[in-house]
Amino acid sequence: MKKRNIFSTLLMLGAVGAVLTGCGSNSASSNGSSSASDHAGKITAVGSTALQPLVEKAAGQFQNDNKKINITVQGGGSGTGLSQVQDGAVAIGNSDIFAESKPGIDSSKLVDHKVAVVGMAPVVNKDAGVDNITMAQLKDIFTGKVTNWKEVGGKDEKITVVNRAEGSGTRATFEDAVLSGAKAVKSQEQDSNGTVQKIVSSTPGAISYLAFSYLNDSVKPLSIDKVKPTDANVENNKWKIWSYEHMYTKGKAKTATADFLKYMNSKDVQDSLVKKMGYISIHNMKVQKDAKGNVTDAK
Amino acid sequence: MNPKRINNIATAVIYGLVGIVVLILLFLIGYILFNGVPDISWKFLTTPAQAFSAGGGIRDQLFNSLYLLVLTLLISFPIALGSGIYLAEYAPDNWFTNLIRTTIEVLSSLPSVVVGLFGYLFLVIQLHLSFSILSGAIALTFFNLPLLTRSIEESLNSVSDLQKQAGMSLGLSDWRTITRIILPVGLPGILTGVILSAGRVFGEAAALIYTAGQSAPIVNYANWNIFDPSSFLNPMRPAETLAVHIWKVNTESVTPDAHLISSASSAVLIIVILIFNLSARFIGNWLYKKMTATR
Amino acid sequence: MKEIQNKLLTKSKATREDHFGRAICYLCIGLIIALVVCILYFITSRGIATFTQNHVNIWGFLAGTNWNPGSVDAHGNPEVGALPMIVTSFSVTVLAAAVATPFALAMAIFMSEIAGKKGTKFLQPVIELLVGIPSVVYGFIGLSVIVPLIRKIFGGTGFGILAGTIVLFVMVLPTITSLSVDSLRAVPLSYRQASAALGANRWQTIYKVILRTAAPGILTAVIFGMARAFGEALAVQMVIGNAVLMPKSLVSPASTLTSKLTTDVGNTVMGTLPNNVLWSLALILLFMSLFFNLLVRFIGKKGSIKK
């Protein structure tokens, strides 16, 4: 134990040294933008793999202006993020899902920071021969009532449902919006957007759902009730399947963490990075959703 | 059927099976290299990765992988060597030794995810090592130890008893016999074990996701201060390795050239391992010649 | 006189070295045991929480076929039947090892008994290379080559035990091969000479002498191979389909213990039932590999020739 203390002291010394040199050379370069912070420290953010690239990139930009702050961003899944921030092991827990809807998490102790909105669309293999579907049909497919594409106006081909991992934010969002309480049929499950994309694009008759940022030529996104899965439709809630990306802190965010979260909400991040990542800026939303799924007009 | 006939048939079957395996191996390696090599360029190897735009490289990941490998071997090789010597030379043939062997085999059959999570809870959280190369190296030691111990023991056991008796008859102590006679003879075998386990360290992803982390902060390659957080040598910084990078790019990445990065990285990985293998073999032969009387 | 007595009574440098070296070796083995005990304790304590804290019936867990840890069945018990995953893990591992062993043995015999130095020199690095290919890459090759192939031949989706077996077969092949080679090479030359002197031809020597002598080592190689197949997660996860269903055939989507573990562990919260039950899966994994080890050890003891 003692040895570790010495080691960490040395580390600290090294860190202080780095901070001092960093200060000297860079104090002029922070040009008073919204990202400038007076605080120093180390922030660790853990959780959602989907949110990780955005936070990582934003953290990189933030650190360019604030050499005193060291931010580490890690994946591990929303559940991991929430339980670690609840235990106080990390400063920020990234999550695709409301803390309220995760059993075992005491959401009253956590403070929610919504940093982006992600839309999700059902996707099918190009062979299915369908490009529009009703919400009821979609529900029937995922509950196993409809098992052939010809029943919903497509080719005579068996439907292969590819679901997302149980407990994942993506699945929770989709089931809230589409299944309205019904149980999904037992089927294949995949954890990551990339794998789902690959499976759907290569398996005839496959259906699954993906975040907007993963939609590309290899799969076919479906319109629901003639509404196209676009950012604009999410912003006014015409497209129902969407959720927030959250960054939770334990109690109110303080010092460096607060500054970083403020930066995440600034125009710098929301208007450029968030869009580049395929997310929807939280500033553009005309509606808001609470943890129970009630949608109201944005204030 | 006479023995001669059976001999011929058996030989033919062996040749056939070997042929199939070689075909599979060639296909696999060919597939990876064919898909990846055209995309490898000096720029790819020396630029940092990009989160969502094309054109990212693998500079940091490549270095992290190598550094992690070195650290892991530094930690696990001495332990495995000591244990291997114990099992091969000292261990009495009784239930206790059997128990030890069984526990080592159990250790090797632990799924990497479990080791990763154990590392996460124990090293990262409990010991406050945070997401770091050091946590990753210790977690990988768990995998390395059984394989390494086993192969060291086997290669020590395969040293002929005559050599040992010769040492004894010269009046050497046990320890000297082991270090001066048996170890040098067993060296090529030990080296094979090290290479095999090094390969696993290189390709391991599941255990590292939760220990060494999945982010590669920009590091300064001119900073040799091992305690500085921005130094490339600091073992306490998070480090995404090449295998983890391939996993990440394949599963969650939104980069438009994800496929290209993944196949090129796989090819780089194989090539690095190949270089590593060849040089290790060369050094092994050289050491063998130097440490024994073989000419 | 005194001097001579002193010299005889004090330990020589060599003896001290000897003791020192011995102590280091004991220390190392002690460290390994400590590590194993530590990790075993950790997994066990987490794994049994399902039964002690959440009061899940062990039998219901092992023999149930309904997996849905988030919800409860008609009697208010959580649906945590792990049997489909146990069966799938078991079949994938055994099948992969069964397919890989003959190939690996042929490779090992070829490399140690038949091929000259040249063949070995070529094969050995190639095999070692294969160990280093990350499982993700195996998984993706499986996903883009093997799964479509199976779909074409057998119909269905292509995901399932068969695809998992094929991917694992390639993955465990290098492990089994290189360890088998080691144990074949460890057979003393005198055995081969004795066999040849009795007039046995090459196959007779291999089959009746070398393989029998090396049997325990080969079995160990197979265990290590099975261990790798058993613990493999990322590659299997991509090709097995991850559907917690009782496998109906070799080509219907299924889920192994590890694939479930990898898929779900990041999405559950420490200390809750869905997380605890995953640790219970890890515990089963542990027990199953322990069982394999003991079984093979038993067989190895019976089959080996006394030296």
Side-chain angles (χ1 to χ4, degrees), chain C residues 261-277:
Chain C
L261 208 55
T262 338
T263 316
D264 281 5
V265 92
N267 294 316
T268 54
V269 175
M270 269 322 152
T272 59
L273 174 72
N275 187 272
N276 285 342
V277 88

Side-chain angles (χ1 to χ4, degrees), chain B residues 25 28 34 44 70 74 99 139 156 187 189 196 205 242 252 288:
Chain B
L25 302 191
L28 260 177
F34 184 76
F44 180 70
V70 171
L74 273 184
L99 188 73
L156 292 184
L187 202 64
L196 267 176
L242 205 51
E252 291 295 352
Y288 184 73

Side-chain angles (χ1 to χ4, degrees), chain C residues 101-116:
Chain C
T101 306
F103 285 97
L105 264 186
M107 286 289 280
I109 294 172
F110 182 78
M111 282 166 71
S112 77
E113 310 296 326
I114 298 178

Side-chain angles (χ1 to χ4, degrees), chain B:
Chain B
M1 283 228 266
N2 59 26
K4 199 167 175 188
R5 206 100 176 251
I6 296 175
N7 184 32
N8 288 342
I9 293 171
T11 311
V13 168
I14 290 175
Y15 268 95
L17 291 177
V18 169
I20 295 173
V21 171
V22 169
L23 279 182
I24 295 175
L25 302 191
L26 288 182
F27 165 75
L28 260 177
I29 294 172
Y31 185 89
I32 295 168
L33 289 182
F34 184 76
N35 276 320
V37 167
D39 298 322
I40 299 175
S41 62
W42 184 245
K43 188 171 159 276
F44 180 70
L45 295 178
T46 53
T47 45
Q50 293 291 336
F52 49 81
S53 49
I58 52 164
R59 179 190 69 187
D60 302 325
Q61 283 77 10
L62 189 60
F63 173 77
N64 288 342
S65 285
L66 289 169
Y67 191 39
L68 186 69
L69 177 65
V70 171
L71 268 187
T72 308
L73 286 181
L74 273 184
I75 299 173
S76 55
F77 183 69
I79 303 176
L81 187 64
S83 316
I85 292 176
Y86 172 82
L87 286 175
E89 306 295 333
Y90 292 127
D93 189 14
N94 59 17
W95 64 270
F96 186 66
T97 312
N98 265 330
L99 188 73
I100 294 176
R101 279 182 220 275
T102 312
T103 48
I104 291 179
E105 271 158 30
V106 168
L107 189 59
S108 81
S109 43
L110 286 176
S112 43
V113 203
V114 173
V115 174
L117 286 168
F118 169 77
Y120 172 64
L121 289 180
F122 185 69
L123 303 168
V124 176
I125 305 288
Q126 213 106 332
L127 296 184
H128 300 284
L129 292 178
S130 73
F131 290 102
S132 63
I133 301 186
L134 191 63
S135 305
I138 297 175
L140 285 180
T141 300
F142 280 88
F143 290 107
N144 235 350
L145 275 181
L147 214 57
L148 216 48
T149 308
R150 187 81 211 179
S151 64
I152 290 175
E153 189 201 342
E154 290 249 325
S155 49
L156 292 184
N157 271 339
S158 68
V159 175
S160 154
D161 275 351
L162 285 175
Q163 301 247 32
K164 196 174 177 184
Q165 286 156 8
M168 292 295 169
S169 64
L170 286 174
L172 294 180
S173 70
D174 266 357
W175 184 244
R176 286 221 171 144
T177 315
I178 293 167
T179 49
R180 302 285 153 80
I181 296 176
I182 298 178
L183 266 185
V185 181
L187 202 64
I190 294 176
L191 225 92
T192 315
V194 172
I195 297 169
L196 267 176
S197 65
R200 253 196 109 170
V201 170
F202 243 83
E204 182 52 52
L208 289 175
I209 295 168
Y210 293 98
T211 51
Q214 332 166 11
S215 66
I218 304 299
V219 289
N220 181 356
Y221 287 91
N223 189 342
W224 287 81
N225 177 5
I226 194 164
F227 297 114
D228 191 310
S230 69
S231 164
F232 68 109
L233 284 176
N234 185 354
M236 301 307 291
R237 67 184 168 88
E240 181 191 36
T241 65
L242 205 51
V244 174
H245 189 60
I246 295 174
W247 173 80
K248 206 171 95 180
V249 161
N250 274 326
T251 51
E252 291 295 352
S253 169
V254 285
T255 30
D257 56 352
H259 183 72
L260 191 151
I261 294 177
S262 133
S263 47
S265 303
S266 313
V268 169
L269 209 77
I270 298 199
I271 293 169
V272 170
I273 294 171
L274 189 66
I275 295 171
F276 192 74
N277 276 10
L278 292 178
S279 53
R281 201 166 298 276
F282 178 75
I283 297 168
N285 284 340
W286 181 74
L287 271 181
Y288 184 73
K289 274 183 192 146
K290 195 156 171 143
M291 290 177 81
T292 61
T294 322
R295 287 268 168 249

